[in-house]
Short mmCIF file of all heavy atoms in Angstrom, two decimals:
data_model
loop_
_atom_site.label_atom_id
_atom_site.label_comp_id
_atom_site.label_asym_id
_atom_site.label_seq_id
_atom_site.Cartn_x
_atom_site.Cartn_y
_atom_site.Cartn_z
N LYS A 394 -27.25 34.82 -13.88
CA LYS A 394 -25.85 35.08 -14.24
C LYS A 394 -25.57 34.59 -15.54
O LYS A 394 -25.64 33.51 -16.01
CB LYS A 394 -24.94 34.32 -13.20
CG LYS A 394 -23.42 34.53 -13.49
CD LYS A 394 -22.65 33.65 -12.56
CE LYS A 394 -21.13 33.93 -12.75
NZ LYS A 394 -20.69 33.66 -14.09
N ILE A 395 -25.16 35.58 -16.50
CA ILE A 395 -24.83 35.33 -17.80
C ILE A 395 -23.39 34.77 -17.88
O ILE A 395 -22.43 35.49 -17.51
CB ILE A 395 -25.07 36.58 -18.75
CG1 ILE A 395 -26.33 37.18 -18.54
CG2 ILE A 395 -24.75 36.24 -20.16
CD1 ILE A 395 -27.54 36.30 -18.90
N ASP A 396 -23.32 33.64 -18.37
CA ASP A 396 -21.92 33.04 -18.40
C ASP A 396 -21.16 33.34 -19.66
O ASP A 396 -19.90 33.68 -19.55
CB ASP A 396 -22.11 31.42 -18.35
CG ASP A 396 -22.83 30.94 -17.09
OD1 ASP A 396 -22.26 31.15 -16.02
OD2 ASP A 396 -23.96 30.49 -17.19
N TYR A 397 -21.74 33.32 -20.88
CA TYR A 397 -21.05 33.54 -22.06
C TYR A 397 -21.89 34.41 -23.02
O TYR A 397 -23.15 34.45 -22.89
CB TYR A 397 -20.61 32.29 -22.75
CG TYR A 397 -19.76 31.34 -21.83
CD1 TYR A 397 -20.39 30.29 -21.21
CD2 TYR A 397 -18.42 31.59 -21.60
CE1 TYR A 397 -19.64 29.42 -20.40
CE2 TYR A 397 -17.67 30.66 -20.81
CZ TYR A 397 -18.29 29.70 -20.11
OH TYR A 397 -17.53 28.93 -19.37
N TYR A 398 -21.24 34.98 -23.90
CA TYR A 398 -21.91 35.70 -24.95
C TYR A 398 -21.50 35.40 -26.28
O TYR A 398 -20.39 34.82 -26.51
CB TYR A 398 -21.88 37.29 -24.80
CG TYR A 398 -20.61 37.81 -25.37
CD1 TYR A 398 -20.61 38.29 -26.63
CD2 TYR A 398 -19.40 37.82 -24.61
CE1 TYR A 398 -19.36 38.82 -27.22
CE2 TYR A 398 -18.22 38.29 -25.06
CZ TYR A 398 -18.15 38.90 -26.41
OH TYR A 398 -17.05 39.31 -26.99
N MET A 399 -22.29 35.63 -27.35
CA MET A 399 -21.97 35.46 -28.77
C MET A 399 -22.58 36.60 -29.53
O MET A 399 -23.81 36.71 -29.65
CB MET A 399 -22.33 34.12 -29.33
CG MET A 399 -21.95 33.93 -30.84
SD MET A 399 -22.13 32.26 -31.42
CE MET A 399 -20.78 31.58 -30.71
N LEU A 400 -21.73 37.38 -30.19
CA LEU A 400 -22.16 38.47 -30.98
C LEU A 400 -22.23 38.06 -32.52
O LEU A 400 -21.25 37.52 -32.99
CB LEU A 400 -21.26 39.68 -30.82
CG LEU A 400 -21.52 40.86 -31.87
CD1 LEU A 400 -22.84 41.59 -31.60
CD2 LEU A 400 -20.36 41.94 -31.75
N MET A 401 -23.35 38.22 -33.13
CA MET A 401 -23.45 37.90 -34.64
C MET A 401 -23.71 39.17 -35.34
O MET A 401 -24.77 39.85 -35.11
CB MET A 401 -24.69 36.96 -34.80
CG MET A 401 -24.41 35.53 -34.13
SD MET A 401 -25.81 34.46 -34.34
CE MET A 401 -26.94 35.19 -33.13
N ASN A 402 -22.69 39.54 -36.22
CA ASN A 402 -22.82 40.60 -36.98
C ASN A 402 -23.90 40.52 -38.00
O ASN A 402 -23.96 39.47 -38.75
CB ASN A 402 -21.40 40.95 -37.62
CG ASN A 402 -21.53 42.29 -38.45
OD1 ASN A 402 -21.93 42.33 -39.50
ND2 ASN A 402 -20.96 43.32 -37.80
N MET A 403 -24.82 41.52 -38.19
CA MET A 403 -25.86 41.44 -39.09
C MET A 403 -25.45 41.19 -40.56
O MET A 403 -25.95 40.46 -41.35
CB MET A 403 -26.80 42.65 -39.01
CG MET A 403 -27.51 42.87 -37.66
SD MET A 403 -28.76 41.48 -37.49
CE MET A 403 -29.57 42.06 -35.97
N TYR A 404 -24.35 41.94 -40.93
CA TYR A 404 -23.87 41.85 -42.34
C TYR A 404 -23.19 40.53 -42.54
O TYR A 404 -23.21 39.94 -43.66
CB TYR A 404 -23.02 43.11 -42.69
CG TYR A 404 -23.74 44.32 -42.67
CD1 TYR A 404 -23.86 45.07 -41.54
CD2 TYR A 404 -24.51 44.81 -43.83
CE1 TYR A 404 -24.61 46.31 -41.50
CE2 TYR A 404 -25.25 45.85 -43.78
CZ TYR A 404 -25.32 46.67 -42.68
OH TYR A 404 -26.03 47.71 -42.71
N GLY A 405 -22.58 40.04 -41.52
CA GLY A 405 -22.03 38.62 -41.64
C GLY A 405 -23.14 37.63 -41.70
O GLY A 405 -22.96 36.64 -42.57
N PHE A 406 -24.26 37.86 -41.18
CA PHE A 406 -25.46 37.00 -41.29
C PHE A 406 -25.99 37.05 -42.80
O PHE A 406 -26.29 36.05 -43.31
CB PHE A 406 -26.52 37.46 -40.37
CG PHE A 406 -27.75 36.55 -40.56
CD1 PHE A 406 -27.83 35.39 -39.91
CD2 PHE A 406 -28.90 37.01 -41.19
CE1 PHE A 406 -28.99 34.55 -40.00
CE2 PHE A 406 -30.00 36.22 -41.28
CZ PHE A 406 -30.05 35.00 -40.64
N ALA A 407 -25.85 38.19 -43.45
CA ALA A 407 -26.28 38.19 -44.86
C ALA A 407 -25.36 37.40 -45.63
O ALA A 407 -25.80 36.74 -46.60
CB ALA A 407 -26.23 39.76 -45.34
N ASP A 408 -24.06 37.41 -45.35
CA ASP A 408 -23.10 36.55 -46.05
C ASP A 408 -23.44 35.10 -45.85
O ASP A 408 -23.33 34.20 -46.71
CB ASP A 408 -21.70 36.83 -45.69
CG ASP A 408 -21.18 38.26 -46.07
OD1 ASP A 408 -21.81 38.79 -47.00
OD2 ASP A 408 -20.24 38.81 -45.50
N LEU A 409 -23.90 34.73 -44.63
CA LEU A 409 -24.20 33.35 -44.29
C LEU A 409 -25.49 32.97 -45.07
O LEU A 409 -25.52 31.77 -45.49
CB LEU A 409 -24.38 33.23 -42.80
CG LEU A 409 -24.35 31.87 -42.16
CD1 LEU A 409 -23.06 31.18 -42.43
CD2 LEU A 409 -24.67 31.95 -40.68
N VAL A 410 -26.41 33.79 -45.26
CA VAL A 410 -27.57 33.42 -45.98
C VAL A 410 -27.23 33.22 -47.44
O VAL A 410 -27.68 32.23 -48.13
CB VAL A 410 -28.71 34.56 -45.89
CG1 VAL A 410 -29.78 34.33 -46.90
CG2 VAL A 410 -29.18 34.61 -44.47
N ASP A 411 -26.41 34.10 -48.03
CA ASP A 411 -25.89 33.88 -49.39
C ASP A 411 -25.14 32.53 -49.49
O ASP A 411 -25.20 31.90 -50.53
CB ASP A 411 -25.04 35.07 -49.86
CG ASP A 411 -25.81 36.24 -50.13
OD1 ASP A 411 -27.08 36.08 -50.55
OD2 ASP A 411 -25.34 37.35 -49.93
N ALA A 412 -24.43 32.20 -48.41
CA ALA A 412 -23.65 30.90 -48.48
C ALA A 412 -24.45 29.66 -48.57
O ALA A 412 -23.99 28.71 -49.16
CB ALA A 412 -22.66 30.89 -47.26
N ILE A 413 -25.72 29.73 -48.01
CA ILE A 413 -26.49 28.58 -48.15
C ILE A 413 -27.51 28.67 -49.39
O ILE A 413 -28.37 27.75 -49.51
CB ILE A 413 -27.36 28.29 -46.85
CG1 ILE A 413 -28.43 29.37 -46.64
CG2 ILE A 413 -26.53 28.16 -45.70
CD1 ILE A 413 -29.35 29.16 -45.60
N GLY A 414 -27.37 29.67 -50.17
CA GLY A 414 -28.14 29.80 -51.33
C GLY A 414 -29.41 30.61 -51.15
O GLY A 414 -30.31 30.60 -52.07
N GLY A 415 -29.57 31.41 -50.15
CA GLY A 415 -30.77 32.25 -49.98
C GLY A 415 -31.81 31.58 -49.10
O GLY A 415 -31.71 30.39 -48.70
N LEU A 416 -32.83 32.30 -48.73
CA LEU A 416 -33.90 31.75 -47.77
C LEU A 416 -35.27 31.94 -48.51
O LEU A 416 -35.57 32.94 -49.06
CB LEU A 416 -33.98 32.66 -46.50
CG LEU A 416 -32.85 32.48 -45.39
CD1 LEU A 416 -33.15 33.39 -44.27
CD2 LEU A 416 -32.73 30.99 -45.05
N LYS A 417 -36.04 30.81 -48.44
CA LYS A 417 -37.38 30.84 -48.84
C LYS A 417 -38.32 31.16 -47.78
O LYS A 417 -38.30 30.45 -46.69
CB LYS A 417 -37.75 29.44 -49.45
CG LYS A 417 -36.94 29.05 -50.71
CD LYS A 417 -37.21 27.67 -51.18
CE LYS A 417 -36.33 27.23 -52.43
NZ LYS A 417 -36.72 25.92 -52.86
N ILE A 418 -39.12 32.16 -47.99
CA ILE A 418 -40.02 32.64 -46.89
C ILE A 418 -41.32 33.28 -47.36
O ILE A 418 -41.31 33.68 -48.62
CB ILE A 418 -39.24 33.62 -45.96
CG1 ILE A 418 -39.90 33.73 -44.67
CG2 ILE A 418 -39.07 34.90 -46.70
CD1 ILE A 418 -39.05 34.53 -43.62
N ARG A 419 -42.31 33.27 -46.66
CA ARG A 419 -43.60 33.99 -47.11
C ARG A 419 -43.60 35.40 -46.52
O ARG A 419 -43.56 35.56 -45.39
CB ARG A 419 -44.79 33.17 -46.70
CG ARG A 419 -46.06 33.76 -47.17
CD ARG A 419 -47.32 32.97 -46.64
NE ARG A 419 -47.43 33.14 -45.24
CZ ARG A 419 -48.22 32.35 -44.50
NH1 ARG A 419 -49.03 31.42 -45.05
NH2 ARG A 419 -48.36 32.56 -43.23
N VAL A 420 -43.77 36.29 -47.45
CA VAL A 420 -43.77 37.79 -46.96
C VAL A 420 -45.23 38.13 -46.92
O VAL A 420 -46.01 38.02 -47.97
CB VAL A 420 -43.02 38.71 -47.91
CG1 VAL A 420 -43.04 40.12 -47.55
CG2 VAL A 420 -41.53 38.15 -48.04
N GLU A 421 -45.70 38.55 -45.73
CA GLU A 421 -47.18 38.82 -45.51
C GLU A 421 -47.55 40.07 -46.32
O GLU A 421 -48.65 40.10 -46.89
CB GLU A 421 -47.38 39.04 -44.04
CG GLU A 421 -47.41 37.76 -43.25
CD GLU A 421 -48.55 36.77 -43.59
OE1 GLU A 421 -49.55 37.24 -44.17
OE2 GLU A 421 -48.49 35.53 -43.39
N GLN A 422 -46.73 41.12 -46.28
CA GLN A 422 -47.05 42.33 -46.97
C GLN A 422 -45.78 43.04 -47.35
O GLN A 422 -44.71 42.61 -46.94
CB GLN A 422 -47.81 43.21 -46.02
CG GLN A 422 -47.06 43.62 -44.76
CD GLN A 422 -47.95 44.54 -43.80
OE1 GLN A 422 -49.07 44.80 -44.03
NE2 GLN A 422 -47.21 44.92 -42.78
N ASP A 423 -45.89 43.92 -48.38
CA ASP A 423 -44.64 44.60 -48.83
C ASP A 423 -43.84 45.27 -47.71
O ASP A 423 -44.50 45.84 -46.77
CB ASP A 423 -45.09 45.74 -49.84
CG ASP A 423 -45.55 45.16 -51.10
OD1 ASP A 423 -45.63 43.82 -51.26
OD2 ASP A 423 -46.06 45.87 -51.94
N VAL A 424 -42.57 45.03 -47.81
CA VAL A 424 -41.58 45.58 -46.76
C VAL A 424 -40.62 46.48 -47.56
O VAL A 424 -39.83 45.98 -48.37
CB VAL A 424 -40.91 44.42 -45.99
CG1 VAL A 424 -39.92 45.12 -45.02
CG2 VAL A 424 -41.93 43.57 -45.26
N LYS A 425 -40.72 47.78 -47.16
CA LYS A 425 -39.69 48.64 -47.76
C LYS A 425 -38.51 48.81 -46.86
O LYS A 425 -38.65 48.66 -45.57
CB LYS A 425 -40.39 50.05 -47.90
CG LYS A 425 -41.58 50.10 -48.97
CD LYS A 425 -41.99 51.50 -49.09
CE LYS A 425 -43.19 51.49 -50.22
NZ LYS A 425 -43.67 52.92 -50.39
N TRP A 426 -37.35 49.03 -47.41
CA TRP A 426 -36.19 49.23 -46.67
C TRP A 426 -35.28 50.20 -47.31
O TRP A 426 -35.34 50.53 -48.37
CB TRP A 426 -35.52 47.83 -46.54
CG TRP A 426 -35.10 47.14 -47.83
CD1 TRP A 426 -35.90 46.46 -48.67
CD2 TRP A 426 -33.82 47.26 -48.47
NE1 TRP A 426 -35.15 46.05 -49.80
CE2 TRP A 426 -33.86 46.50 -49.64
CE3 TRP A 426 -32.55 47.83 -48.13
CZ2 TRP A 426 -32.77 46.35 -50.57
CZ3 TRP A 426 -31.48 47.74 -49.01
CH2 TRP A 426 -31.66 46.98 -50.23
N GLY A 427 -34.37 50.71 -46.41
CA GLY A 427 -33.42 51.78 -46.79
C GLY A 427 -33.96 53.18 -46.28
O GLY A 427 -34.98 53.64 -46.84
N GLY A 428 -33.23 53.80 -45.45
CA GLY A 428 -33.51 55.14 -45.02
C GLY A 428 -34.89 55.17 -44.17
O GLY A 428 -35.40 54.21 -43.71
N LEU A 429 -35.40 56.38 -44.02
CA LEU A 429 -36.63 56.53 -43.32
C LEU A 429 -37.87 56.21 -44.29
O LEU A 429 -38.92 55.78 -43.63
CB LEU A 429 -36.71 58.01 -42.85
CG LEU A 429 -35.67 58.51 -41.84
CD1 LEU A 429 -35.86 59.97 -41.54
CD2 LEU A 429 -35.69 57.67 -40.57
N TYR A 430 -37.70 56.29 -45.43
CA TYR A 430 -38.82 56.06 -46.31
C TYR A 430 -38.80 54.79 -47.18
O TYR A 430 -39.63 54.63 -48.06
CB TYR A 430 -39.06 57.28 -47.19
CG TYR A 430 -39.16 58.56 -46.37
CD1 TYR A 430 -38.15 59.41 -46.28
CD2 TYR A 430 -40.40 58.84 -45.73
CE1 TYR A 430 -38.20 60.52 -45.52
CE2 TYR A 430 -40.54 60.03 -44.94
CZ TYR A 430 -39.41 60.85 -44.82
OH TYR A 430 -39.38 62.02 -44.13
N GLY A 431 -37.77 54.02 -46.97
CA GLY A 431 -37.67 52.81 -47.73
C GLY A 431 -37.29 52.98 -49.21
O GLY A 431 -37.98 52.31 -50.15
N THR A 432 -36.40 53.91 -49.45
CA THR A 432 -36.05 54.25 -50.80
C THR A 432 -35.13 53.23 -51.51
O THR A 432 -34.90 53.21 -52.69
CB THR A 432 -35.39 55.56 -50.92
OG1 THR A 432 -34.30 55.67 -50.05
CG2 THR A 432 -36.34 56.64 -50.48
N ALA A 433 -34.44 52.30 -50.67
CA ALA A 433 -33.52 51.46 -51.26
C ALA A 433 -34.18 50.28 -51.97
O ALA A 433 -33.56 49.70 -52.96
CB ALA A 433 -32.61 50.86 -50.18
N GLY A 434 -35.32 49.81 -51.66
CA GLY A 434 -35.95 48.83 -52.30
C GLY A 434 -37.21 48.31 -51.61
O GLY A 434 -37.49 48.76 -50.39
N THR A 435 -37.92 47.42 -52.14
CA THR A 435 -39.19 46.79 -51.55
C THR A 435 -39.11 45.29 -51.73
O THR A 435 -38.85 44.80 -52.85
CB THR A 435 -40.40 47.38 -52.22
OG1 THR A 435 -40.34 48.76 -52.14
CG2 THR A 435 -41.63 46.87 -51.64
N ILE A 436 -39.44 44.64 -50.65
CA ILE A 436 -39.58 43.24 -50.73
C ILE A 436 -41.14 42.85 -50.80
O ILE A 436 -41.84 43.23 -50.03
CB ILE A 436 -39.06 42.45 -49.41
CG1 ILE A 436 -37.54 42.87 -49.29
CG2 ILE A 436 -39.22 40.97 -49.52
CD1 ILE A 436 -37.03 42.42 -47.94
N LYS A 437 -41.42 42.39 -52.01
CA LYS A 437 -42.84 42.17 -52.38
C LYS A 437 -43.51 41.01 -51.54
O LYS A 437 -42.86 40.12 -51.16
CB LYS A 437 -43.03 41.91 -53.83
CG LYS A 437 -42.63 43.04 -54.80
CD LYS A 437 -43.57 44.25 -54.66
CE LYS A 437 -43.22 45.36 -55.54
NZ LYS A 437 -44.01 46.47 -55.39
N ALA A 438 -44.83 41.20 -51.29
CA ALA A 438 -45.49 40.15 -50.63
C ALA A 438 -45.66 38.90 -51.42
O ALA A 438 -45.61 38.92 -52.66
CB ALA A 438 -46.94 40.67 -50.24
N GLY A 439 -45.72 37.76 -50.70
CA GLY A 439 -45.79 36.48 -51.42
C GLY A 439 -44.66 35.53 -51.05
O GLY A 439 -43.84 35.92 -50.16
N TYR A 440 -44.65 34.38 -51.61
CA TYR A 440 -43.59 33.53 -51.31
C TYR A 440 -42.34 33.96 -52.17
O TYR A 440 -42.35 34.00 -53.28
CB TYR A 440 -43.96 32.09 -51.73
CG TYR A 440 -44.90 31.42 -50.82
CD1 TYR A 440 -46.26 31.45 -50.98
CD2 TYR A 440 -44.47 30.76 -49.68
CE1 TYR A 440 -47.16 30.90 -50.06
CE2 TYR A 440 -45.29 30.20 -48.74
CZ TYR A 440 -46.60 30.22 -48.92
OH TYR A 440 -47.51 29.67 -48.06
N ARG A 441 -41.30 34.15 -51.35
CA ARG A 441 -40.07 34.77 -52.05
C ARG A 441 -38.81 33.94 -51.53
O ARG A 441 -38.84 33.31 -50.49
CB ARG A 441 -39.88 36.16 -51.57
CG ARG A 441 -41.00 37.09 -52.04
CD ARG A 441 -40.75 37.42 -53.53
NE ARG A 441 -41.91 38.33 -53.93
CZ ARG A 441 -42.91 37.94 -54.73
NH1 ARG A 441 -43.03 36.69 -55.08
NH2 ARG A 441 -43.84 38.81 -55.09
N LYS A 442 -37.84 33.95 -52.46
CA LYS A 442 -36.50 33.46 -52.09
C LYS A 442 -35.62 34.75 -51.88
O LYS A 442 -35.19 35.33 -52.89
CB LYS A 442 -35.92 32.55 -53.12
CG LYS A 442 -34.58 31.88 -52.69
CD LYS A 442 -34.13 30.86 -53.69
CE LYS A 442 -32.89 30.13 -53.21
NZ LYS A 442 -32.41 29.15 -54.13
N LEU A 443 -35.28 35.04 -50.64
CA LEU A 443 -34.59 36.27 -50.31
C LEU A 443 -33.05 36.05 -50.47
O LEU A 443 -32.61 34.90 -49.87
CB LEU A 443 -35.00 36.67 -48.96
CG LEU A 443 -36.54 36.98 -48.67
CD1 LEU A 443 -36.70 37.49 -47.20
CD2 LEU A 443 -37.15 37.84 -49.74
N SER A 444 -32.34 36.98 -50.95
CA SER A 444 -30.95 36.98 -50.88
C SER A 444 -30.52 37.34 -49.48
O SER A 444 -31.29 37.67 -48.59
CB SER A 444 -30.35 37.87 -51.93
OG SER A 444 -30.70 39.31 -51.63
N GLY A 445 -29.14 37.31 -49.29
CA GLY A 445 -28.73 37.69 -47.86
C GLY A 445 -29.06 39.16 -47.53
O GLY A 445 -29.47 39.45 -46.48
N GLU A 446 -28.92 40.03 -48.44
CA GLU A 446 -29.26 41.47 -48.22
C GLU A 446 -30.68 41.57 -47.91
O GLU A 446 -31.21 42.39 -47.00
CB GLU A 446 -28.78 42.32 -49.44
CG GLU A 446 -29.00 43.80 -49.16
CD GLU A 446 -28.48 44.68 -50.32
OE1 GLU A 446 -28.44 44.12 -51.45
OE2 GLU A 446 -28.27 45.82 -50.15
N GLU A 447 -31.52 40.88 -48.78
CA GLU A 447 -33.02 41.04 -48.55
C GLU A 447 -33.41 40.50 -47.27
O GLU A 447 -34.29 41.02 -46.58
CB GLU A 447 -33.70 40.38 -49.77
CG GLU A 447 -33.54 41.14 -51.09
CD GLU A 447 -34.14 40.37 -52.24
OE1 GLU A 447 -34.23 39.09 -52.13
OE2 GLU A 447 -34.48 40.96 -53.23
N ALA A 448 -32.87 39.30 -46.92
CA ALA A 448 -33.15 38.68 -45.63
C ALA A 448 -32.72 39.52 -44.46
O ALA A 448 -33.53 39.66 -43.48
CB ALA A 448 -32.51 37.30 -45.51
N LEU A 449 -31.63 40.22 -44.68
CA LEU A 449 -31.12 41.05 -43.59
C LEU A 449 -32.23 42.23 -43.37
O LEU A 449 -32.66 42.50 -42.24
CB LEU A 449 -29.73 41.66 -43.87
CG LEU A 449 -29.30 42.68 -42.97
CD1 LEU A 449 -29.04 42.22 -41.52
CD2 LEU A 449 -27.94 43.31 -43.50
N TRP A 450 -32.54 42.88 -44.38
CA TRP A 450 -33.46 44.10 -44.28
C TRP A 450 -34.91 43.65 -44.03
O TRP A 450 -35.60 44.45 -43.44
CB TRP A 450 -33.41 44.97 -45.55
CG TRP A 450 -32.10 45.70 -45.54
CD1 TRP A 450 -31.04 45.43 -46.36
CD2 TRP A 450 -31.69 46.74 -44.79
NE1 TRP A 450 -29.98 46.36 -46.19
CE2 TRP A 450 -30.46 47.26 -45.17
CE3 TRP A 450 -32.43 47.42 -43.74
CZ2 TRP A 450 -29.74 48.26 -44.52
CZ3 TRP A 450 -31.74 48.53 -43.15
CH2 TRP A 450 -30.51 48.92 -43.41
N TYR A 451 -35.26 42.48 -44.35
CA TYR A 451 -36.57 41.93 -44.06
C TYR A 451 -36.73 41.81 -42.49
O TYR A 451 -37.79 42.08 -41.91
CB TYR A 451 -36.83 40.69 -44.68
CG TYR A 451 -38.17 40.00 -44.24
CD1 TYR A 451 -39.37 40.49 -44.73
CD2 TYR A 451 -38.22 38.97 -43.37
CE1 TYR A 451 -40.62 39.86 -44.43
CE2 TYR A 451 -39.41 38.34 -42.98
CZ TYR A 451 -40.59 38.89 -43.57
OH TYR A 451 -41.77 38.24 -43.15
N GLY A 452 -35.64 41.50 -41.78
CA GLY A 452 -35.68 41.38 -40.35
C GLY A 452 -35.33 42.71 -39.70
O GLY A 452 -35.61 42.82 -38.53
N ARG A 453 -34.79 43.72 -40.43
CA ARG A 453 -34.30 44.88 -39.79
C ARG A 453 -35.15 46.10 -40.07
O ARG A 453 -35.11 47.07 -39.27
CB ARG A 453 -32.83 45.26 -40.08
CG ARG A 453 -31.84 44.19 -39.68
CD ARG A 453 -30.42 44.63 -39.89
NE ARG A 453 -30.19 45.72 -38.94
CZ ARG A 453 -29.91 47.09 -39.29
NH1 ARG A 453 -29.87 47.33 -40.55
NH2 ARG A 453 -29.57 48.01 -38.36
N SER A 454 -35.92 46.13 -41.18
CA SER A 454 -36.57 47.33 -41.65
C SER A 454 -37.63 47.82 -40.59
O SER A 454 -38.38 46.97 -40.12
CB SER A 454 -37.18 47.12 -42.99
OG SER A 454 -37.96 48.37 -43.34
N ARG A 455 -37.71 49.03 -40.23
CA ARG A 455 -38.83 49.66 -39.46
C ARG A 455 -39.67 50.65 -40.28
O ARG A 455 -40.44 51.35 -39.68
CB ARG A 455 -38.19 50.33 -38.26
CG ARG A 455 -37.59 49.41 -37.25
CD ARG A 455 -37.31 50.15 -35.90
NE ARG A 455 -36.35 51.22 -36.02
CZ ARG A 455 -35.11 51.12 -35.86
NH1 ARG A 455 -34.58 50.03 -35.49
NH2 ARG A 455 -34.36 52.21 -36.03
N VAL A 456 -39.55 50.65 -41.49
CA VAL A 456 -40.31 51.57 -42.41
C VAL A 456 -41.79 51.08 -42.34
O VAL A 456 -42.09 49.94 -42.70
CB VAL A 456 -39.81 51.62 -43.85
CG1 VAL A 456 -40.66 52.46 -44.73
CG2 VAL A 456 -38.34 51.97 -43.92
N GLY A 457 -42.62 51.95 -41.75
CA GLY A 457 -44.02 51.64 -41.71
C GLY A 457 -44.40 50.59 -40.61
O GLY A 457 -45.46 50.05 -40.63
N SER A 458 -43.43 50.34 -39.73
CA SER A 458 -43.73 49.34 -38.63
C SER A 458 -42.90 49.76 -37.37
O SER A 458 -42.27 50.81 -37.35
CB SER A 458 -43.37 47.97 -39.12
OG SER A 458 -41.97 47.87 -39.33
N ASP A 459 -42.96 48.97 -36.35
CA ASP A 459 -42.33 49.29 -35.11
C ASP A 459 -41.26 48.18 -34.69
O ASP A 459 -41.13 47.22 -35.48
CB ASP A 459 -43.28 49.44 -34.00
CG ASP A 459 -44.19 48.29 -33.80
OD1 ASP A 459 -43.86 47.17 -34.34
OD2 ASP A 459 -45.26 48.41 -33.22
N ASP A 460 -40.61 48.30 -33.58
CA ASP A 460 -39.66 47.37 -33.26
C ASP A 460 -40.20 45.98 -32.92
O ASP A 460 -39.53 44.93 -33.26
CB ASP A 460 -39.02 47.82 -31.97
CG ASP A 460 -37.95 48.92 -32.14
OD1 ASP A 460 -37.47 49.11 -33.36
OD2 ASP A 460 -37.56 49.68 -31.21
N PHE A 461 -41.41 45.88 -32.38
CA PHE A 461 -42.03 44.66 -32.18
C PHE A 461 -42.34 43.88 -33.34
O PHE A 461 -42.31 42.58 -33.38
CB PHE A 461 -43.11 44.74 -31.20
CG PHE A 461 -42.81 45.68 -30.00
CD1 PHE A 461 -43.47 46.87 -29.84
CD2 PHE A 461 -41.84 45.29 -29.12
CE1 PHE A 461 -43.10 47.66 -28.74
CE2 PHE A 461 -41.48 46.08 -28.01
CZ PHE A 461 -42.18 47.31 -27.82
N SER A 462 -42.87 44.55 -34.46
CA SER A 462 -43.17 43.79 -35.65
C SER A 462 -41.84 43.38 -36.26
O SER A 462 -41.76 42.29 -36.78
CB SER A 462 -43.78 44.81 -36.65
OG SER A 462 -45.01 45.25 -36.16
N ARG A 463 -40.67 44.13 -36.15
CA ARG A 463 -39.44 43.68 -36.54
C ARG A 463 -39.05 42.46 -35.86
O ARG A 463 -38.39 41.54 -36.55
CB ARG A 463 -38.47 44.80 -36.45
CG ARG A 463 -37.05 44.51 -37.01
CD ARG A 463 -36.14 45.74 -37.05
NE ARG A 463 -35.68 46.17 -35.68
CZ ARG A 463 -34.62 46.73 -35.50
NH1 ARG A 463 -33.98 47.27 -36.46
NH2 ARG A 463 -34.30 46.99 -34.24
N MET A 464 -39.16 42.33 -34.60
CA MET A 464 -38.79 41.19 -33.87
C MET A 464 -39.47 39.95 -34.31
O MET A 464 -38.92 38.85 -34.37
CB MET A 464 -39.05 41.44 -32.34
CG MET A 464 -38.14 42.47 -31.64
SD MET A 464 -38.60 42.92 -29.96
CE MET A 464 -38.34 41.34 -29.16
N SER A 465 -40.75 40.19 -34.70
CA SER A 465 -41.52 39.03 -35.19
C SER A 465 -40.87 38.48 -36.57
O SER A 465 -40.68 37.26 -36.72
CB SER A 465 -42.99 39.40 -35.49
OG SER A 465 -43.69 38.32 -35.99
N ARG A 466 -40.52 39.42 -37.41
CA ARG A 466 -39.95 39.13 -38.72
C ARG A 466 -38.50 38.36 -38.50
O ARG A 466 -38.18 37.48 -39.22
CB ARG A 466 -39.78 40.29 -39.62
CG ARG A 466 -41.09 40.91 -40.05
CD ARG A 466 -40.97 41.83 -41.30
NE ARG A 466 -40.05 42.86 -40.98
CZ ARG A 466 -40.36 44.04 -40.46
NH1 ARG A 466 -41.66 44.23 -40.18
NH2 ARG A 466 -39.48 44.97 -40.27
#
Side-chain angles (χ1 to χ4, degrees):
K394 180 183 182 300
I395 306 300
D396 300 294
Y397 304 100
Y398 82 92
M399 178 171 285
L400 171 68
M401 293 176 286
N402 185 279
M403 293 293 186
Y404 293 92
F406 180 78
D408 293 339
L409 197 60
V410 171
D411 285 332
I413 68 169
L416 287 181
K417 296 178 181 179
I418 198 169
R419 184 182 67 191
V420 180
E421 289 290 341
Q422 58 185 6
D423 291 356
V424 177
K425 295 183 178 181
W426 57 278
L429 296 176
Y430 305 102
T432 55
T435 302
I436 301 172
K437 296 293 185 179
Y440 285 94
R441 297 281 180 257
K442 185 173 184 180
L443 305 182
S444 65
E446 184 180 23
E447 290 173 335
L449 172 64
W450 285 108
Y451 177 74
R453 296 191 68 243
S454 177
R455 289 195 300 267
V456 178
S458 61
D459 54 21
D460 284 338
F461 309 115
S462 298
R463 184 173 72 160
M464 290 173 66
S465 178
R466 294 197 303 271

